[in-house]
Amino acid sequence: PFYAISNNQYVARFDGDGVKFGSDSAAANALDEYEEGTYTPSLLQGYTSISYHYQNGYYTRIGNHVTFSIYIYVYQCTGDNSAVRISLPFTSSSDTRRETGAYATYDNATFSSSWNEKSGCCYLIGSGDNYVRPIKRTNGAQIFGNDTELGTGGNNRYFHLVGQMFV
């Protein structure tokens, strides 16, 4: 092992388990994963015949916690009668009650051109999912591609999501 020491006290210990802080020597508490990367997010479900302008995804993983950013710009597509799904860089943890989500930092009327339950939706990442899905705030119902501005002829739509998940 390698030790980082300050004022004659352990600050960190680096060994085969990962990084351990302070005097902690338990393998279960070691930080054993750090990764930054990019991926290509896509609309997995809800739309067909998709033509993208941009698909940019960024993430940082520290241990089992992932933060991500998604930017998708769709030139045109056709909505279908299935719930909208947006791909993630990892599959979420299947632990019970550890579902997470995302929020939109910008959206140019992707789901609706007026303020309503679709334009003001929440974004849910369920247990064991590899996608984030928009849901209506009023009742938690899923949003279907053929019931959105993008899916009914609204071309040149884009959105930016930021979120977190456990893996």
Side-chain angles (χ1 to χ4, degrees), residues 131-152:
Y131 55 82
V132 58
R133 63 178 178 240
I135 58 172
K136 297 175 182 177
R137 285 184 187 273
T138 53
N139 60 10
Q142 299 180 84
I143 296 174
F144 288 75
N146 62 356
D147 189 30
T148 65
E149 190 75 18
L150 177 61
T152 56

Side-chain angles (χ1 to χ4, degrees), residues 1-70:
F2 172 77
Y3 299 94
I5 300 173
S6 176
N7 295 328
N8 293 324
Q9 293 186 17
Y10 291 125
V11 175
R13 172 188 171 132
F14 305 88
D15 61 22
D17 298 327
V19 179
K20 299 169 188 158
F21 298 96
S23 60
D24 192 345
S25 62
N29 296 336
L31 175 59
D32 60 353
E33 177 77 34
Y34 180 87
E35 179 181 349
E36 293 181 23
T38 62
Y39 80 107
T40 304
S42 62
L43 298 168
L44 297 174
Q45 189 176 296
Y47 304 98
T48 59
S49 304
I50 305 168
S51 296
Y52 295 99
H53 275 308
Y54 300 104
Q55 298 168 264
N56 304 107
Y58 304 91
Y59 66 87
T60 301
R61 178 178 175 171
I62 302 173
N64 66 348
H65 185 252
V66 177
T67 58
F68 62 87
S69 171
I70 297 171

Side-chain angles (χ1 to χ4, degrees), residues 85-166:
R85 304 274 191 262
I86 304 159
S87 67
L88 291 169
F90 299 97
T91 298
S92 68
S93 169
S94 58
D95 292 346
T96 304
R97 291 179 295 283
R98 225 163 172 198
E99 293 83 0
T100 56
Y103 61 92
T105 61
Y106 185 77
D107 177 352
N108 79 329
T110 302
F111 299 129
S112 179
S113 59
S114 60
W115 182 253
N116 58 36
E117 61 188 358
K118 290 181 283 187
S119 60
C121 67
C122 298
Y123 293 87
L124 175 67
I125 302 169
S127 175
D129 289 345
N130 67 344
Y131 55 82
V132 58
R133 63 178 178 240
I135 58 172
K136 297 175 182 177
R137 285 184 187 273
T138 53
N139 60 10
Q142 299 180 84
I143 296 174
F144 288 75
N146 62 356
D147 189 30
T148 65
E149 190 75 18
L150 177 61
T152 56
N155 297 330
N156 289 307
R157 302 296 179 192
Y158 48 92
F159 59 90
H160 182 248
L161 302 179
V162 175
Q164 65 175 347
M165 61 191 289
F166 294 100

